[in-house]
Amino acid sequence: MFLLNDIMIKKYMSDGSLSITNFFPKNLYSNFYYFRLYRCVGMWDEKTKKYHYSKIEEPKKESLLIPSGQYLLVKSFERFYLSTKVLGYFSQNSDLVEKGIKLNHSMSIDPTFDSRLTLGLQNLTEHDVTLSVGENIGKVMFF
């Protein structure tokens, strides 16, 4: 297993071993890809004891307000497909750390995964934080 560089990521994308729907070329760096925040948000419902997803539908509302101490489920803007020969490791980016937001996620994107990433965002600050739809929230390295 070895870390794929940007040239190999593009090669794997061209041969179908890796697919990133809504791929944004400027987010591909030498050995990782920044993924972005999507318009889908999961809010906890005390009645049903489940998260219920809804899209940010207002055309002019392209941001997500995360109240102090609040935890939300979100989706990645990109949809990832990994073949049996590709594994992804991911983490949050430093911009979230500077804003006091913690990205909660599993350790990896497993081979044969085919979906958007489901992630948790937790506001660790004592003030509300706003993120923009399409903002970079994490990065993934492919092996």
Side-chain angles (χ1 to χ4, degrees):
M1 183 166 74
F2 58 91
L3 178 63
L4 301 181
N5 63 23
D6 56 336
I7 296 165
M8 290 299 295
I9 290 171
K10 288 177 187 175
K11 179 184 178 302
Y12 277 39
M13 288 177 67
S14 69
D15 74 15
S17 299
L18 170 65
S19 173
I20 304 174
T21 305
N22 297 321
F23 177 77
F24 186 54
K26 289 184 179 181
N27 279 10
L28 180 61
Y29 285 76
S30 61
N31 60 359
F32 65 88
Y33 178 81
Y34 277 121
F35 58 87
R36 299 167 288 163
L37 178 65
Y38 186 53
R39 314 178 64 105
C40 188
V41 180
M43 303 285 288
W44 182 254
D45 183 340
E46 273 301 319
K47 270 188 193 172
T48 63
K49 303 292 185 202
K50 293 181 180 178
Y51 280 93
H52 294 280
Y53 286 95
S54 62
K55 284 189 177 179
I56 301 170
E57 294 294 351
E58 291 181 50
K60 294 186 179 191
K61 187 174 181 180
E62 292 292 323
S63 61
L64 171 64
L65 177 73
I66 308 173
S68 175
Q70 184 74 41
Y71 184 84
L72 302 175
L73 291 182
V74 296
K75 300 280 186 174
S76 62
F77 192 84
E78 292 81 1
R79 180 183 181 95
F80 295 91
Y81 164 73
L82 281 63
S83 71
T84 56
K85 67 180 188 178
V86 180
L87 172 71
Y89 284 128
F90 61 105
S91 66
Q92 73 180 48
N93 64 4
S94 56
D95 291 343
L96 287 186
V97 174
E98 292 171 0
K99 293 179 180 184
I101 300 295
K102 178 182 178 185
L103 181 70
N104 192 22
H105 56 83
S106 65
M107 181 179 78
S108 65
I109 306 171
D110 298 328
T112 72
F113 180 83
D114 187 10
S115 188
R116 295 180 190 275
L117 302 174
T118 300
L119 310 150
L121 292 176
Q122 183 178 14
N123 183 346
L124 302 174
T125 71
E126 295 180 4
H127 59 275
D128 297 347
V129 174
T130 301
L131 299 178
S132 300
V133 171
E135 181 174 338
N136 294 342
I137 58 172
K139 56 185 171 183
V140 60
M141 297 174 290
F142 298 104
F143 295 84

